[in-house]
Amino acid sequence: MIPQNLRDILSNEQYTGLFQTLALLIFMAFFIGMVFYVFSRPKKYYQDDANAPLDDDEQPFNFKN
């Protein structure tokens, strides 16, 4: 039988364990990469964003003309 679509390929019980393992490895690689990216940035990089809630706005959000 020739698979007609992706659902047929993924529903094959022969490779289910392989697909689950690949999905886990891709998720872990992405998560570890994001953690590494965030912690590799200098502290100054996040300083403006950290103080954003404390900054005074020049105009209030509900400003009406």
Side-chain angles (χ1 to χ4, degrees), residues 26-41 45-46:
I26 290 170
F27 171 76
M28 287 178 61
F30 178 77
F31 183 77
I32 291 170
M34 287 300 295
V35 168
F36 179 75
Y37 174 77
V38 167
F39 283 111
S40 66
R41 294 277 156 198
Y45 183 80
Y46 297 108

Side-chain angles (χ1 to χ4, degrees), residues 10-36:
L10 294 178
S11 66
N12 188 353
E13 294 177 10
Q14 182 179 2
Y15 299 112
T16 304
L18 175 66
F19 294 141
Q20 290 175 350
T21 303
L22 286 175
L24 177 65
L25 291 175
I26 290 170
F27 171 76
M28 287 178 61
F30 178 77
F31 183 77
I32 291 170
M34 287 300 295
V35 168
F36 179 75

